[in-house]
Amino acid sequence: MELKDPVIDVYLQNAKSGHRAAQRSHAPRLAHRQAFEEALRHYQISPEGLHILGETPFAVMVAPTSTGRNTIINELLKTGQYYFIVSDTTRPPRMNNGVMEQDGVEYFFRSEEDMLADIRAGLFVEAEIIHSQQVSGVSIREIKRAHDQGKIAITDIEILGGITVATLKPDAAAIYLLPPSFEEWIQRIQGRTPLTDEELRNRLRGAMKGFKLGLESDCFTFVINDKLKDAVRIVDEIARLGVHHRHNEHVAKELARTLYHQTEAYLQKM
């Protein structure tokens, strides 16, 4: 059944004009994709990594693109209770809100060869192919740094990575952050780094996959990022205190279902 929504039509028109200038840019490509697929298909974390993970409080935040999870993480870091896990990635640095990303800040930017070797050695908590363009993952060395400082490890992570962490560490706080509405979400996406139509489709398809997997899994706590102060408080209560608000989580799950269908409709009209 086709979902008719005039708002989607308006935002689709804006997206087509807004991304036209980005058409000449090129999305990253994986030179060793087959090798990564093989290594990740049979991936096992090392025994040392599994021990460190078990000894370290860990919160992972899953969210579709442009939902504000990094803003929430930054607010939590100000409390001094959290250590931000910087993920490794094979993609090159890019401009984000007019500022070039820095190695060791947004990501550790790794060569494909080095990252593939570490995956084969079991030196990641999890790693996966993202948007069919790059490989990103959480390294054991970062978990150890959080452990040594006596802090809660926290990071933003993709959906399969979140499920992997929750499977390896059932006491981890796995939080699925949502935008307050489809309209607000699309505005945020368009206001960030210019994307080609191909990149936009990849991200929206990835978001649909995330909504579906998140709703099918029982390991995530859904939180709506409407008012920043409230979202920060709720995430902190879940990650640090283990406090849950069942009514809010039910409302957030219903929103995730709505976002899934609206994203599907948007993609069908691109």
Side-chain angles (χ1 to χ4, degrees), residues 143-203:
I143 301 296
K144 188 175 186 304
R145 287 171 181 163
H147 175 272
D148 292 347
Q149 294 182 27
K151 295 185 177 182
I152 302 169
I154 189 168
T155 193
D156 55 326
I157 201 168
E158 297 298 322
I159 182 70
L160 292 177
I163 293 173
T164 297
V165 170
T167 300
L168 291 172
K169 185 175 175 62
D171 64 344
I175 298 162
Y176 201 120
L177 192 69
L178 299 169
S181 68
F182 180 81
E183 298 86 350
E184 175 68 20
W185 181 40
I186 295 298
Q187 284 183 334
R188 292 178 185 178
I189 293 174
Q190 292 178 354
R192 295 187 67 185
T193 304
L195 302 172
T196 65
D197 283 346
E198 179 185 5
E199 288 174 315
L200 179 60
R201 288 191 190 95
N202 283 338
R203 294 195 178 200

Side-chain angles (χ1 to χ4, degrees), residues 72-93:
I72 289 177
I73 289 173
N74 287 337
E75 290 298 311
L76 292 172
L77 291 176
K78 293 176 183 178
T79 68
Q81 301 292 318
Y82 295 84
Y83 176 91
F84 179 63
I85 300 297
V86 179
S87 296
D88 291 8
T89 187
T90 61
R91 75 161 172 79

